[in-house]
Amino acid sequence: MKVSVVSRSGREVVRGGLEFSDAATVAHLQEAIYRKTAKKFYPSRQRLTLPVQPGSKEKPVVLSSKKRIKDYADGNNVTVVFKDLGPQVSYRTLFFFEYLGPLLIYPIFYYFPVYQYFGFKDKHEKLPVQTYAMYYWCFHYFKRILETFFVHRFSHATSPIANVFRNCAYYWTFGAYIAYHVNHPLYTPVSDLQTKIGFAFGLLCQASNFYCHILLKNLRSPDGSGGYQIPRGFLFNIVTCANYTTEIYQWLGFNIATQTVAGYVFLLVAASIMTNWALGKHWRLKKLFDGKDGRPKYPRRWNK
């Protein structure tokens, strides 16, 4: 079987094409492209699709690395369109660095006299709520790092390296912004009762969030395969993305206990981002599981 590899402009990426047996998979094709292009475009950097007619609004079919090339062929020849996704990093690397920043930055504002550089007299004694907030914050991001390595299963192995800089800028900046205000020498705490209610509610949501991640983990095999499935059990019987719901509410608990403008700004930004993700996933699942042609029908649930 002959495979022609072209760019989106129609230029040949591999001159003369490539020959494969009927048993060859798309993964074999990606490895061959890697070798034929001076080992520049490694497999995770490649996106291979079937060509579409000019002017067509249809989305191109993306080739799965696990399928045979023959499955996409119409006869003994097939043309695939190659796109360079750019330098890639694993999702575990991406998540590790984006969570590591807040984990290290926040304690700097708690333990070290940084406020003297902003013109404030930095008192050594910290309020109980500031201590609880520091432990709560660090626990959250330490939990996220552990989940990254031991719980999460990723359907996509890699992410563009540019996302590392974007995500780190988001998490690290907000980490410093919130830490600066919560640990400030002029910080005024809320009542002791409100502090306890906020942190207790937040910790309950963190535990619930962890359990939601366990349920999602069980939907995929260790290699990340499994495709879209209907999550069931616990809060997933009520809401489509219970993991995002509990994430939002655990930050609400933190803000009830600490009550800073910086914290609420972060809550609003994070909630808007996760709400957008949740709506997208909700409608995607409803479209996939429409109850037709033997497919199960997606149950009635809240979409966030």
Side-chain angles (χ1 to χ4, degrees):
M1 177 185 298
K2 184 177 180 179
V3 180
S4 299
V5 184
V6 300
S7 67
R8 288 185 292 175
S9 63
R11 179 181 59 84
E12 269 196 317
V13 175
V14 180
R15 290 186 180 181
L18 297 162
E19 293 287 343
F20 292 96
S21 68
D22 289 349
T25 65
V26 175
H28 293 130
L29 170 59
Q30 290 176 313
E31 285 292 339
I33 294 173
Y34 174 54
R35 292 193 302 269
K36 291 287 186 178
T37 55
K39 296 189 176 180
K40 179 181 179 182
F41 304 116
Y42 43 87
S44 62
R45 188 169 172 167
Q46 302 172 27
R47 181 175 184 263
L48 302 178
T49 61
L50 295 179
V52 295
Q53 293 296 325
S56 173
K57 294 183 179 179
E58 292 183 5
K59 290 184 177 180
V61 175
V62 179
L63 277 60
S64 169
S65 61
K66 294 183 175 67
K67 286 190 175 182
R68 295 183 306 166
I69 302 171
K70 187 178 180 180
D71 296 335
Y72 298 102
D74 184 12
N76 292 322
N77 297 299
V78 61
T79 298
V80 299
V81 180
F82 168 89
K83 180 183 178 182
D84 175 21
L85 298 176
Q88 302 283 301
V89 295
S90 72
Y91 268 100
R92 285 191 170 85
T93 300
L94 170 66
F95 286 174
F96 173 74
F97 281 107
E98 69 183 37
Y99 298 147
L100 181 65
L103 181 62
L104 298 180
I105 290 171
Y106 196 103
I108 291 174
F109 287 86
Y110 180 86
Y111 285 109
F112 297 99
V114 297
Y115 294 96
Q116 65 185 14
Y117 301 107
F118 296 97
F120 297 97
K121 186 178 180 181
D122 201 353
K123 59 184 180 181
H124 181 69
E125 291 290 331
K126 292 294 183 182
L127 299 168
V129 64
Q130 292 173 317
T131 301
Y132 300 151
M134 193 272 294
Y135 287 134
Y136 182 99
W137 180 279
C138 291
F139 172 76
H140 170 75
Y141 283 103
F142 184 66
K143 163 184 165 288
R144 295 295 291 269
I145 290 174
L146 290 180
E147 288 175 335
T148 296
F149 288 102
F150 301 108
V151 177
H152 294 320
R153 290 173 176 171
F154 304 99
S155 58
H156 300 287
T158 62
S159 171
I161 197 170
N163 289 347
V164 176
F165 301 102
R166 183 197 66 186
N167 291 16
C168 286
Y170 170 78
Y171 280 101
W172 294 26
T173 301
F174 267 118
Y177 182 42
I178 295 170
Y180 173 84
H181 286 280
V182 175
N183 295 291
H184 201 282
L186 301 181
Y187 171 78
T188 302
V190 296
S191 68
D192 185 58
L193 177 61
Q194 184 173 330
T195 298
K196 291 178 179 177
I197 291 174
F199 283 133
F201 176 70
L203 288 172
L204 176 63
C205 291
Q206 288 217 47
S208 300
N209 180 256
F210 174 74
Y211 185 57
C212 288
H213 287 160
I214 294 295
L215 293 177
L216 291 176
K217 172 190 176 182
N218 293 335
L219 294 178
R220 294 187 183 275
S221 60
D223 64 356
S225 61
Y228 285 105
Q229 297 187 46
I230 301 176
R232 302 182 188 277
F234 192 46
L235 297 176
F236 285 110
N237 292 334
I238 303 171
V239 64
T240 293
C241 295
N243 50 319
Y244 295 151
T245 303
T246 51
E247 178 79 8
I248 292 170
Y249 281 122
Q250 69 98 7
W251 284 121
L252 176 62
F254 178 85
N255 283 295
I256 290 172
T258 56
Q259 202 152 301
T260 63
V261 172
Y264 279 110
V265 169
F266 176 62
L267 174 63
L268 288 173
V269 173
S272 65
I273 292 171
M274 285 185 276
T275 298
N276 186 52
W277 291 343
L279 289 171
K281 184 172 182 180
H282 179 78
W283 292 114
R284 196 179 304 118
L285 288 173
K286 285 194 70 175
K287 185 178 180 180
L288 285 171
F289 300 102
D290 53 9
K292 300 176 182 178
D293 300 324
R295 292 184 295 270
K297 187 172 179 60
Y298 192 72
R300 188 180 181 87
R301 292 176 182 174
W302 291 98
N303 55 22
K304 292 193 285 292

